[in-house]
mmCIF file with all atom_site columns, all heavy atoms in Angstrom:
data_model
loop_
_atom_site.group_PDB
_atom_site.id
_atom_site.type_symbol
_atom_site.label_atom_id
_atom_site.label_alt_id
_atom_site.label_comp_id
_atom_site.label_asym_id
_atom_site.label_entity_id
_atom_site.label_seq_id
_atom_site.pdbx_PDB_ins_code
_atom_site.Cartn_x
_atom_site.Cartn_y
_atom_site.Cartn_z
_atom_site.occupancy
_atom_site.B_iso_or_equiv
_atom_site.pdbx_formal_charge
_atom_site.auth_seq_id
_atom_site.auth_comp_id
_atom_site.auth_asym_id
_atom_site.auth_atom_id
_atom_site.pdbx_PDB_model_num
ATOM 1   N N   . THR E 1 15  ? -0.275  -4.504  21.155  1.00 85.00 ? 15  THR E N   1
ATOM 2   C CA  . THR E 1 15  ? -0.096  -3.812  19.979  1.00 85.00 ? 15  THR E CA  1
ATOM 3   C C   . THR E 1 15  ? -1.286  -2.896  19.643  1.00 85.00 ? 15  THR E C   1
ATOM 4   O O   . THR E 1 15  ? -1.132  -1.768  19.270  1.00 85.00 ? 15  THR E O   1
ATOM 5   C CB  . THR E 1 15  ? 0.059   -4.782  18.750  1.00 85.00 ? 15  THR E CB  1
ATOM 6   O OG1 . THR E 1 15  ? 0.881   -5.866  19.207  1.00 85.00 ? 15  THR E OG1 1
ATOM 7   C CG2 . THR E 1 15  ? 0.633   -4.138  17.564  1.00 85.00 ? 15  THR E CG2 1
ATOM 8   N N   . VAL E 1 19  ? -1.401  0.904   19.084  1.00 84.00 ? 19  VAL E N   1
ATOM 9   C CA  . VAL E 1 19  ? -1.968  1.481   17.870  1.00 84.00 ? 19  VAL E CA  1
ATOM 10  C C   . VAL E 1 19  ? -2.938  2.604   18.273  1.00 84.00 ? 19  VAL E C   1
ATOM 11  O O   . VAL E 1 19  ? -2.941  3.714   17.678  1.00 84.00 ? 19  VAL E O   1
ATOM 12  C CB  . VAL E 1 19  ? -2.646  0.420   17.036  1.00 84.00 ? 19  VAL E CB  1
ATOM 13  C CG1 . VAL E 1 19  ? -3.566  1.055   16.052  1.00 84.00 ? 19  VAL E CG1 1
ATOM 14  C CG2 . VAL E 1 19  ? -1.625  -0.456  16.421  1.00 84.00 ? 19  VAL E CG2 1
ATOM 15  N N   . ALA E 1 26  ? -1.451  11.048  17.004  1.00 74.00 ? 26  ALA E N   1
ATOM 16  C CA  . ALA E 1 26  ? -1.273  11.665  15.719  1.00 74.00 ? 26  ALA E CA  1
ATOM 17  C C   . ALA E 1 26  ? -1.970  12.984  15.684  1.00 74.00 ? 26  ALA E C   1
ATOM 18  O O   . ALA E 1 26  ? -1.591  13.929  14.982  1.00 74.00 ? 26  ALA E O   1
ATOM 19  C CB  . ALA E 1 26  ? -1.784  10.718  14.626  1.00 74.00 ? 26  ALA E CB  1
ATOM 20  N N   . SER E 1 141 ? 1.080   -4.868  -10.509 1.00 76.00 ? 141 SER E N   1
ATOM 21  C CA  . SER E 1 141 ? 1.498   -3.581  -10.946 1.00 76.00 ? 141 SER E CA  1
ATOM 22  C C   . SER E 1 141 ? 0.332   -2.554  -11.210 1.00 76.00 ? 141 SER E C   1
ATOM 23  O O   . SER E 1 141 ? 0.487   -1.419  -11.323 1.00 76.00 ? 141 SER E O   1
ATOM 24  C CB  . SER E 1 141 ? 2.330   -3.688  -12.190 1.00 76.00 ? 141 SER E CB  1
ATOM 25  O OG  . SER E 1 141 ? 3.363   -4.572  -12.057 1.00 76.00 ? 141 SER E OG  1
ATOM 26  N N   . PHE E 1 146 ? -7.506  1.129   -11.681 1.00 83.00 ? 146 PHE E N   1
ATOM 27  C CA  . PHE E 1 146 ? -7.441  0.799   -13.150 1.00 83.00 ? 146 PHE E CA  1
ATOM 28  C C   . PHE E 1 146 ? -8.206  -0.476  -13.417 1.00 83.00 ? 146 PHE E C   1
ATOM 29  O O   . PHE E 1 146 ? -9.042  -0.475  -14.335 1.00 83.00 ? 146 PHE E O   1
ATOM 30  C CB  . PHE E 1 146 ? -5.971  0.631   -13.549 1.00 83.00 ? 146 PHE E CB  1
ATOM 31  C CG  . PHE E 1 146 ? -5.741  0.308   -14.993 1.00 83.00 ? 146 PHE E CG  1
ATOM 32  C CD1 . PHE E 1 146 ? -6.457  0.988   -15.888 1.00 83.00 ? 146 PHE E CD1 1
ATOM 33  C CD2 . PHE E 1 146 ? -4.801  -0.596  -15.410 1.00 83.00 ? 146 PHE E CD2 1
ATOM 34  C CE1 . PHE E 1 146 ? -6.265  0.750   -17.313 1.00 83.00 ? 146 PHE E CE1 1
ATOM 35  C CE2 . PHE E 1 146 ? -4.611  -0.891  -16.735 1.00 83.00 ? 146 PHE E CE2 1
ATOM 36  C CZ  . PHE E 1 146 ? -5.338  -0.221  -17.704 1.00 83.00 ? 146 PHE E CZ  1
ATOM 37  N N   . TYR E 1 149 ? -11.950 0.279   -13.119 1.00 83.00 ? 149 TYR E N   1
ATOM 38  C CA  . TYR E 1 149 ? -12.622 0.986   -14.240 1.00 83.00 ? 149 TYR E CA  1
ATOM 39  C C   . TYR E 1 149 ? -12.567 0.130   -15.540 1.00 83.00 ? 149 TYR E C   1
ATOM 40  O O   . TYR E 1 149 ? -13.487 0.272   -16.376 1.00 83.00 ? 149 TYR E O   1
ATOM 41  C CB  . TYR E 1 149 ? -11.926 2.395   -14.479 1.00 83.00 ? 149 TYR E CB  1
ATOM 42  C CG  . TYR E 1 149 ? -12.324 3.350   -13.484 1.00 83.00 ? 149 TYR E CG  1
ATOM 43  C CD1 . TYR E 1 149 ? -11.460 4.070   -12.708 1.00 83.00 ? 149 TYR E CD1 1
ATOM 44  C CD2 . TYR E 1 149 ? -13.688 3.577   -13.270 1.00 83.00 ? 149 TYR E CD2 1
ATOM 45  C CE1 . TYR E 1 149 ? -11.897 4.969   -11.776 1.00 83.00 ? 149 TYR E CE1 1
ATOM 46  C CE2 . TYR E 1 149 ? -14.119 4.489   -12.364 1.00 83.00 ? 149 TYR E CE2 1
ATOM 47  C CZ  . TYR E 1 149 ? -13.229 5.197   -11.587 1.00 83.00 ? 149 TYR E CZ  1
ATOM 48  O OH  . TYR E 1 149 ? -13.671 6.091   -10.649 1.00 83.00 ? 149 TYR E OH  1
ATOM 49  N N   . PHE E 1 153 ? -15.826 -0.614  -17.595 1.00 81.00 ? 153 PHE E N   1
ATOM 50  C CA  . PHE E 1 153 ? -15.860 -0.318  -19.036 1.00 81.00 ? 153 PHE E CA  1
ATOM 51  C C   . PHE E 1 153 ? -16.360 -1.519  -19.814 1.00 81.00 ? 153 PHE E C   1
ATOM 52  O O   . PHE E 1 153 ? -17.205 -1.455  -20.684 1.00 81.00 ? 153 PHE E O   1
ATOM 53  C CB  . PHE E 1 153 ? -14.446 0.147   -19.500 1.00 81.00 ? 153 PHE E CB  1
ATOM 54  C CG  . PHE E 1 153 ? -14.404 0.549   -20.941 1.00 81.00 ? 153 PHE E CG  1
ATOM 55  C CD1 . PHE E 1 153 ? -15.088 1.734   -21.381 1.00 81.00 ? 153 PHE E CD1 1
ATOM 56  C CD2 . PHE E 1 153 ? -13.766 -0.194  -21.846 1.00 81.00 ? 153 PHE E CD2 1
ATOM 57  C CE1 . PHE E 1 153 ? -15.045 2.141   -22.629 1.00 81.00 ? 153 PHE E CE1 1
ATOM 58  C CE2 . PHE E 1 153 ? -13.755 0.236   -23.213 1.00 81.00 ? 153 PHE E CE2 1
ATOM 59  C CZ  . PHE E 1 153 ? -14.366 1.366   -23.584 1.00 81.00 ? 153 PHE E CZ  1
ATOM 60  N N   . HIS E 1 195 ? -0.861  -11.357 -5.308  1.00 80.00 ? 195 HIS E N   1
ATOM 61  C CA  . HIS E 1 195 ? 0.106   -11.360 -4.204  1.00 80.00 ? 195 HIS E CA  1
ATOM 62  C C   . HIS E 1 195 ? 0.220   -12.697 -3.550  1.00 80.00 ? 195 HIS E C   1
ATOM 63  O O   . HIS E 1 195 ? 1.351   -13.200 -3.349  1.00 80.00 ? 195 HIS E O   1
ATOM 64  C CB  . HIS E 1 195 ? -0.405  -10.287 -3.068  1.00 80.00 ? 195 HIS E CB  1
ATOM 65  C CG  . HIS E 1 195 ? -0.037  -8.929  -3.384  1.00 80.00 ? 195 HIS E CG  1
ATOM 66  N ND1 . HIS E 1 195 ? 1.263   -8.479  -3.103  1.00 80.00 ? 195 HIS E ND1 1
ATOM 67  C CD2 . HIS E 1 195 ? -0.759  -7.889  -3.854  1.00 80.00 ? 195 HIS E CD2 1
ATOM 68  C CE1 . HIS E 1 195 ? 1.271   -7.183  -3.410  1.00 80.00 ? 195 HIS E CE1 1
ATOM 69  N NE2 . HIS E 1 195 ? 0.116   -6.792  -3.877  1.00 80.00 ? 195 HIS E NE2 1
ATOM 70  N N   . ARG E 1 198 ? 2.006   -15.432 -5.664  1.00 82.00 ? 198 ARG E N   1
ATOM 71  C CA  . ARG E 1 198 ? 3.449   -15.379 -5.775  1.00 82.00 ? 198 ARG E CA  1
ATOM 72  C C   . ARG E 1 198 ? 4.094   -15.696 -4.442  1.00 82.00 ? 198 ARG E C   1
ATOM 73  O O   . ARG E 1 198 ? 5.102   -16.376 -4.470  1.00 82.00 ? 198 ARG E O   1
ATOM 74  C CB  . ARG E 1 198 ? 3.875   -13.873 -6.130  1.00 82.00 ? 198 ARG E CB  1
ATOM 75  C CG  . ARG E 1 198 ? 3.540   -13.518 -7.523  1.00 82.00 ? 198 ARG E CG  1
ATOM 76  C CD  . ARG E 1 198 ? 3.691   -12.075 -7.752  1.00 82.00 ? 198 ARG E CD  1
ATOM 77  N NE  . ARG E 1 198 ? 5.143   -11.649 -7.985  1.00 82.00 ? 198 ARG E NE  1
ATOM 78  C CZ  . ARG E 1 198 ? 5.745   -11.707 -9.097  1.00 82.00 ? 198 ARG E CZ  1
ATOM 79  N NH1 . ARG E 1 198 ? 5.107   -12.127 -10.188 1.00 82.00 ? 198 ARG E NH1 1
ATOM 80  N NH2 . ARG E 1 198 ? 6.945   -11.339 -9.247  1.00 82.00 ? 198 ARG E NH2 1
ATOM 81  N N   . TYR E 1 249 ? -4.168  -7.060  3.497   1.00 76.00 ? 249 TYR E N   1
ATOM 82  C CA  . TYR E 1 249 ? -4.024  -6.198  2.295   1.00 76.00 ? 249 TYR E CA  1
ATOM 83  C C   . TYR E 1 249 ? -5.349  -5.902  1.680   1.00 76.00 ? 249 TYR E C   1
ATOM 84  O O   . TYR E 1 249 ? -5.676  -4.816  1.248   1.00 76.00 ? 249 TYR E O   1
ATOM 85  C CB  . TYR E 1 249 ? -3.088  -6.848  1.244   1.00 76.00 ? 249 TYR E CB  1
ATOM 86  C CG  . TYR E 1 249 ? -3.040  -6.105  -0.049  1.00 76.00 ? 249 TYR E CG  1
ATOM 87  C CD1 . TYR E 1 249 ? -2.267  -4.970  -0.157  1.00 76.00 ? 249 TYR E CD1 1
ATOM 88  C CD2 . TYR E 1 249 ? -3.768  -6.526  -1.133  1.00 76.00 ? 249 TYR E CD2 1
ATOM 89  C CE1 . TYR E 1 249 ? -2.208  -4.297  -1.294  1.00 76.00 ? 249 TYR E CE1 1
ATOM 90  C CE2 . TYR E 1 249 ? -3.701  -5.868  -2.296  1.00 76.00 ? 249 TYR E CE2 1
ATOM 91  C CZ  . TYR E 1 249 ? -2.939  -4.704  -2.415  1.00 76.00 ? 249 TYR E CZ  1
ATOM 92  O OH  . TYR E 1 249 ? -2.900  -4.052  -3.618  1.00 76.00 ? 249 TYR E OH  1
ATOM 93  N N   . VAL E 1 252 ? -6.969  -2.825  2.922   1.00 75.00 ? 252 VAL E N   1
ATOM 94  C CA  . VAL E 1 252 ? -6.524  -1.588  2.312   1.00 75.00 ? 252 VAL E CA  1
ATOM 95  C C   . VAL E 1 252 ? -7.157  -1.379  0.971   1.00 75.00 ? 252 VAL E C   1
ATOM 96  O O   . VAL E 1 252 ? -7.610  -0.317  0.597   1.00 75.00 ? 252 VAL E O   1
ATOM 97  C CB  . VAL E 1 252 ? -5.019  -1.478  2.319   1.00 75.00 ? 252 VAL E CB  1
ATOM 98  C CG1 . VAL E 1 252 ? -4.561  -0.161  1.778   1.00 75.00 ? 252 VAL E CG1 1
ATOM 99  C CG2 . VAL E 1 252 ? -4.448  -1.716  3.747   1.00 75.00 ? 252 VAL E CG2 1
ATOM 100 N N   . ARG E 1 277 ? -12.676 16.625  6.995   1.00 75.00 ? 277 ARG E N   1
ATOM 101 C CA  . ARG E 1 277 ? -11.885 16.851  8.191   1.00 75.00 ? 277 ARG E CA  1
ATOM 102 C C   . ARG E 1 277 ? -12.710 16.577  9.490   1.00 75.00 ? 277 ARG E C   1
ATOM 103 O O   . ARG E 1 277 ? -12.633 17.335  10.420  1.00 75.00 ? 277 ARG E O   1
ATOM 104 C CB  . ARG E 1 277 ? -11.400 18.292  8.239   1.00 75.00 ? 277 ARG E CB  1
ATOM 105 C CG  . ARG E 1 277 ? -10.429 18.568  7.136   1.00 75.00 ? 277 ARG E CG  1
ATOM 106 C CD  . ARG E 1 277 ? -10.050 20.066  7.141   1.00 75.00 ? 277 ARG E CD  1
ATOM 107 N NE  . ARG E 1 277 ? -9.670  20.489  5.817   1.00 75.00 ? 277 ARG E NE  1
ATOM 108 C CZ  . ARG E 1 277 ? -9.666  21.743  5.475   1.00 75.00 ? 277 ARG E CZ  1
ATOM 109 N NH1 . ARG E 1 277 ? -10.011 22.646  6.293   1.00 75.00 ? 277 ARG E NH1 1
ATOM 110 N NH2 . ARG E 1 277 ? -9.303  22.035  4.239   1.00 75.00 ? 277 ARG E NH2 1
ATOM 111 N N   . LEU E 1 279 ? -12.644 14.678  12.366  1.00 79.00 ? 279 LEU E N   1
ATOM 112 C CA  . LEU E 1 279 ? -11.604 13.869  13.098  1.00 79.00 ? 279 LEU E CA  1
ATOM 113 C C   . LEU E 1 279 ? -12.182 12.633  13.847  1.00 79.00 ? 279 LEU E C   1
ATOM 114 O O   . LEU E 1 279 ? -11.636 11.564  13.720  1.00 79.00 ? 279 LEU E O   1
ATOM 115 C CB  . LEU E 1 279 ? -10.861 14.826  14.096  1.00 79.00 ? 279 LEU E CB  1
ATOM 116 C CG  . LEU E 1 279 ? -9.554  15.326  13.465  1.00 79.00 ? 279 LEU E CG  1
ATOM 117 C CD1 . LEU E 1 279 ? -8.878  16.149  14.530  1.00 79.00 ? 279 LEU E CD1 1
ATOM 118 C CD2 . LEU E 1 279 ? -8.688  14.222  13.055  1.00 79.00 ? 279 LEU E CD2 1
ATOM 119 N N   . PHE E 1 293 ? -6.716  -5.384  11.206  1.00 83.00 ? 293 PHE E N   1
ATOM 120 C CA  . PHE E 1 293 ? -5.344  -5.707  10.774  1.00 83.00 ? 293 PHE E CA  1
ATOM 121 C C   . PHE E 1 293 ? -4.584  -6.525  11.871  1.00 83.00 ? 293 PHE E C   1
ATOM 122 O O   . PHE E 1 293 ? -3.989  -7.572  11.611  1.00 83.00 ? 293 PHE E O   1
ATOM 123 C CB  . PHE E 1 293 ? -4.633  -4.390  10.490  1.00 83.00 ? 293 PHE E CB  1
ATOM 124 C CG  . PHE E 1 293 ? -3.433  -4.509  9.592   1.00 83.00 ? 293 PHE E CG  1
ATOM 125 C CD1 . PHE E 1 293 ? -3.524  -4.836  8.240   1.00 83.00 ? 293 PHE E CD1 1
ATOM 126 C CD2 . PHE E 1 293 ? -2.171  -4.285  10.123  1.00 83.00 ? 293 PHE E CD2 1
ATOM 127 C CE1 . PHE E 1 293 ? -2.444  -4.880  7.439   1.00 83.00 ? 293 PHE E CE1 1
ATOM 128 C CE2 . PHE E 1 293 ? -1.051  -4.341  9.261   1.00 83.00 ? 293 PHE E CE2 1
ATOM 129 C CZ  . PHE E 1 293 ? -1.206  -4.649  7.927   1.00 83.00 ? 293 PHE E CZ  1
ATOM 130 N N   . SER J 2 118 ? 1.895   -1.922  12.347  1.00 77.00 ? 118 SER J N   1
ATOM 131 C CA  . SER J 2 118 ? 0.692   -2.682  12.604  1.00 77.00 ? 118 SER J CA  1
ATOM 132 C C   . SER J 2 118 ? -0.586  -1.909  12.202  1.00 77.00 ? 118 SER J C   1
ATOM 133 O O   . SER J 2 118 ? -1.680  -2.417  12.448  1.00 77.00 ? 118 SER J O   1
ATOM 134 C CB  . SER J 2 118 ? 0.651   -3.166  14.056  1.00 77.00 ? 118 SER J CB  1
ATOM 135 O OG  . SER J 2 118 ? 0.777   -2.094  14.924  1.00 77.00 ? 118 SER J OG  1
ATOM 136 N N   . PRO J 2 120 ? -2.275  -0.387  8.705   1.00 80.00 ? 120 PRO J N   1
ATOM 137 C CA  . PRO J 2 120 ? -2.078  -0.373  7.273   1.00 80.00 ? 120 PRO J CA  1
ATOM 138 C C   . PRO J 2 120 ? -1.669  1.041   6.861   1.00 80.00 ? 120 PRO J C   1
ATOM 139 O O   . PRO J 2 120 ? -2.252  2.042   7.384   1.00 80.00 ? 120 PRO J O   1
ATOM 140 C CB  . PRO J 2 120 ? -3.471  -0.656  6.705   1.00 80.00 ? 120 PRO J CB  1
ATOM 141 C CG  . PRO J 2 120 ? -4.209  -1.363  7.748   1.00 80.00 ? 120 PRO J CG  1
ATOM 142 C CD  . PRO J 2 120 ? -3.638  -0.904  9.065   1.00 80.00 ? 120 PRO J CD  1
ATOM 143 N N   . LEU J 2 131 ? -5.498  15.708  9.231   1.00 73.00 ? 131 LEU J N   1
ATOM 144 C CA  . LEU J 2 131 ? -5.068  16.792  10.233  1.00 73.00 ? 131 LEU J CA  1
ATOM 145 C C   . LEU J 2 131 ? -4.441  17.989  9.506   1.00 73.00 ? 131 LEU J C   1
ATOM 146 O O   . LEU J 2 131 ? -4.426  19.034  9.999   1.00 73.00 ? 131 LEU J O   1
ATOM 147 C CB  . LEU J 2 131 ? -4.051  16.159  11.145  1.00 73.00 ? 131 LEU J CB  1
ATOM 148 C CG  . LEU J 2 131 ? -4.575  15.023  11.974  1.00 73.00 ? 131 LEU J CG  1
ATOM 149 C CD1 . LEU J 2 131 ? -3.419  14.349  12.703  1.00 73.00 ? 131 LEU J CD1 1
ATOM 150 C CD2 . LEU J 2 131 ? -5.592  15.559  12.942  1.00 73.00 ? 131 LEU J CD2 1
ATOM 151 N N   . ALA J 2 241 ? -13.708 9.988   -14.216 1.00 76.00 ? 241 ALA J N   1
ATOM 152 C CA  . ALA J 2 241 ? -14.423 8.764   -14.047 1.00 76.00 ? 241 ALA J CA  1
ATOM 153 C C   . ALA J 2 241 ? -15.821 8.734   -14.730 1.00 76.00 ? 241 ALA J C   1
ATOM 154 O O   . ALA J 2 241 ? -16.238 7.745   -15.240 1.00 76.00 ? 241 ALA J O   1
ATOM 155 C CB  . ALA J 2 241 ? -14.565 8.467   -12.545 1.00 76.00 ? 241 ALA J CB  1
ATOM 156 N N   . LEU J 2 244 ? -16.755 7.255   -18.389 1.00 73.00 ? 244 LEU J N   1
ATOM 157 C CA  . LEU J 2 244 ? -17.108 5.824   -18.712 1.00 73.00 ? 244 LEU J CA  1
ATOM 158 C C   . LEU J 2 244 ? -18.608 5.732   -18.895 1.00 73.00 ? 244 LEU J C   1
ATOM 159 O O   . LEU J 2 244 ? -19.082 4.960   -19.777 1.00 73.00 ? 244 LEU J O   1
ATOM 160 C CB  . LEU J 2 244 ? -16.716 4.963   -17.547 1.00 73.00 ? 244 LEU J CB  1
ATOM 161 C CG  . LEU J 2 244 ? -15.248 4.567   -17.472 1.00 73.00 ? 244 LEU J CG  1
ATOM 162 C CD1 . LEU J 2 244 ? -15.014 3.689   -16.288 1.00 73.00 ? 244 LEU J CD1 1
ATOM 163 C CD2 . LEU J 2 244 ? -14.785 3.869   -18.749 1.00 73.00 ? 244 LEU J CD2 1
ATOM 164 N N   . MET J 2 249 ? -13.389 6.729   -22.892 1.00 75.00 ? 249 MET J N   1
ATOM 165 C CA  . MET J 2 249 ? -12.345 5.941   -22.195 1.00 75.00 ? 249 MET J CA  1
ATOM 166 C C   . MET J 2 249 ? -11.379 6.798   -21.398 1.00 75.00 ? 249 MET J C   1
ATOM 167 O O   . MET J 2 249 ? -10.304 6.340   -21.102 1.00 75.00 ? 249 MET J O   1
ATOM 168 C CB  . MET J 2 249 ? -11.583 5.108   -23.259 1.00 75.00 ? 249 MET J CB  1
ATOM 169 C CG  . MET J 2 249 ? -12.436 3.994   -23.857 1.00 75.00 ? 249 MET J CG  1
ATOM 170 S SD  . MET J 2 249 ? -11.570 3.097   -25.094 1.00 75.00 ? 249 MET J SD  1
ATOM 171 C CE  . MET J 2 249 ? -10.290 2.282   -24.157 1.00 75.00 ? 249 MET J CE  1
ATOM 172 N N   . ALA J 2 255 ? -4.733  5.792   -16.016 1.00 85.00 ? 255 ALA J N   1
ATOM 173 C CA  . ALA J 2 255 ? -4.606  4.574   -15.182 1.00 85.00 ? 255 ALA J CA  1
ATOM 174 C C   . ALA J 2 255 ? -3.636  3.601   -15.820 1.00 85.00 ? 255 ALA J C   1
ATOM 175 O O   . ALA J 2 255 ? -2.833  2.952   -15.207 1.00 85.00 ? 255 ALA J O   1
ATOM 176 C CB  . ALA J 2 255 ? -5.970  3.983   -14.935 1.00 85.00 ? 255 ALA J CB  1
ATOM 177 N N   . THR J 2 262 ? 4.607   1.075   -13.525 1.00 87.00 ? 262 THR J N   1
ATOM 178 C CA  . THR J 2 262 ? 4.885   0.067   -12.400 1.00 87.00 ? 262 THR J CA  1
ATOM 179 C C   . THR J 2 262 ? 5.418   -1.189  -12.947 1.00 87.00 ? 262 THR J C   1
ATOM 180 O O   . THR J 2 262 ? 6.361   -1.752  -12.440 1.00 87.00 ? 262 THR J O   1
ATOM 181 C CB  . THR J 2 262 ? 3.616   -0.170  -11.596 1.00 87.00 ? 262 THR J CB  1
ATOM 182 O OG1 . THR J 2 262 ? 2.823   0.967   -11.577 1.00 87.00 ? 262 THR J OG1 1
ATOM 183 C CG2 . THR J 2 262 ? 3.954   -0.664  -10.222 1.00 87.00 ? 262 THR J CG2 1
ATOM 184 N N   . ILE J 2 263 ? 4.848   -1.631  -14.079 1.00 86.00 ? 263 ILE J N   1
ATOM 185 C CA  . ILE J 2 263 ? 5.301   -2.916  -14.646 1.00 86.00 ? 263 ILE J CA  1
ATOM 186 C C   . ILE J 2 263 ? 6.751   -2.731  -15.080 1.00 86.00 ? 263 ILE J C   1
ATOM 187 O O   . ILE J 2 263 ? 7.608   -3.614  -14.881 1.00 86.00 ? 263 ILE J O   1
ATOM 188 C CB  . ILE J 2 263 ? 4.406   -3.300  -15.851 1.00 86.00 ? 263 ILE J CB  1
ATOM 189 C CG1 . ILE J 2 263 ? 3.036   -3.768  -15.384 1.00 86.00 ? 263 ILE J CG1 1
ATOM 190 C CG2 . ILE J 2 263 ? 5.115   -4.446  -16.635 1.00 86.00 ? 263 ILE J CG2 1
ATOM 191 C CD1 . ILE J 2 263 ? 2.086   -4.079  -16.518 1.00 86.00 ? 263 ILE J CD1 1
ATOM 192 N N   . ASN J 2 266 ? 9.020   -2.775  -12.066 1.00 83.00 ? 266 ASN J N   1
ATOM 193 C CA  . ASN J 2 266 ? 9.018   -4.192  -11.562 1.00 83.00 ? 266 ASN J CA  1
ATOM 194 C C   . ASN J 2 266 ? 9.905   -5.098  -12.376 1.00 83.00 ? 266 ASN J C   1
ATOM 195 O O   . ASN J 2 266 ? 10.594  -5.922  -11.806 1.00 83.00 ? 266 ASN J O   1
ATOM 196 C CB  . ASN J 2 266 ? 7.608   -4.738  -11.498 1.00 83.00 ? 266 ASN J CB  1
ATOM 197 C CG  . ASN J 2 266 ? 7.012   -4.570  -10.121 1.00 83.00 ? 266 ASN J CG  1
ATOM 198 O OD1 . ASN J 2 266 ? 7.699   -4.557  -9.096  1.00 83.00 ? 266 ASN J OD1 1
ATOM 199 N ND2 . ASN J 2 266 ? 5.717   -4.420  -10.006 1.00 83.00 ? 266 ASN J ND2 1
ATOM 200 N N   . SER J 2 283 ? 8.290   -9.638  -4.547  1.00 37.00 ? 283 SER J N   1
ATOM 201 C CA  . SER J 2 283 ? 8.410   -8.282  -5.111  1.00 37.00 ? 283 SER J CA  1
ATOM 202 C C   . SER J 2 283 ? 7.097   -7.508  -4.923  1.00 37.00 ? 283 SER J C   1
ATOM 203 O O   . SER J 2 283 ? 6.009   -8.039  -4.921  1.00 37.00 ? 283 SER J O   1
ATOM 204 C CB  . SER J 2 283 ? 8.804   -8.369  -6.568  1.00 37.00 ? 283 SER J CB  1
ATOM 205 O OG  . SER J 2 283 ? 7.832   -9.018  -7.267  1.00 37.00 ? 283 SER J OG  1
ATOM 206 N N   . ALA J 2 284 ? 7.280   -6.164  -4.902  1.00 35.00 ? 284 ALA J N   1
ATOM 207 C CA  . ALA J 2 284 ? 6.117   -5.267  -4.847  1.00 35.00 ? 284 ALA J CA  1
ATOM 208 C C   . ALA J 2 284 ? 5.179   -5.641  -3.664  1.00 35.00 ? 284 ALA J C   1
ATOM 209 O O   . ALA J 2 284 ? 3.948   -5.737  -3.852  1.00 35.00 ? 284 ALA J O   1
ATOM 210 C CB  . ALA J 2 284 ? 5.363   -5.229  -6.110  1.00 35.00 ? 284 ALA J CB  1
ATOM 211 N N   . MET J 2 286 ? 3.155   -5.139  -0.143  1.00 31.00 ? 286 MET J N   1
ATOM 212 C CA  . MET J 2 286 ? 2.440   -3.944  0.304   1.00 31.00 ? 286 MET J CA  1
ATOM 213 C C   . MET J 2 286 ? 3.406   -3.260  1.275   1.00 31.00 ? 286 MET J C   1
ATOM 214 O O   . MET J 2 286 ? 3.228   -2.196  1.719   1.00 31.00 ? 286 MET J O   1
ATOM 215 C CB  . MET J 2 286 ? 1.161   -4.204  0.901   1.00 31.00 ? 286 MET J CB  1
ATOM 216 C CG  . MET J 2 286 ? 1.106   -5.195  1.980   1.00 31.00 ? 286 MET J CG  1
ATOM 217 S SD  . MET J 2 286 ? 0.167   -6.663  1.623   1.00 31.00 ? 286 MET J SD  1
ATOM 218 C CE  . MET J 2 286 ? 1.314   -7.803  1.082   1.00 31.00 ? 286 MET J CE  1
#
Side-chain angles (χ1 to χ4, degrees):
Chain E
T15 317
V19 166
S141 306
F146 182 41
Y149 283 126
F153 185 69
H195 277 281
R198 286 170 82 85
Y249 174 77
V252 182
R277 295 178 208 158
L279 267 181
F293 200 71
Chain J
S118 53
L131 298 170
L244 280 182
M249 290 178 67
T262 324
I263 291 175
N266 264 330
S283 61
M286 54 246 92

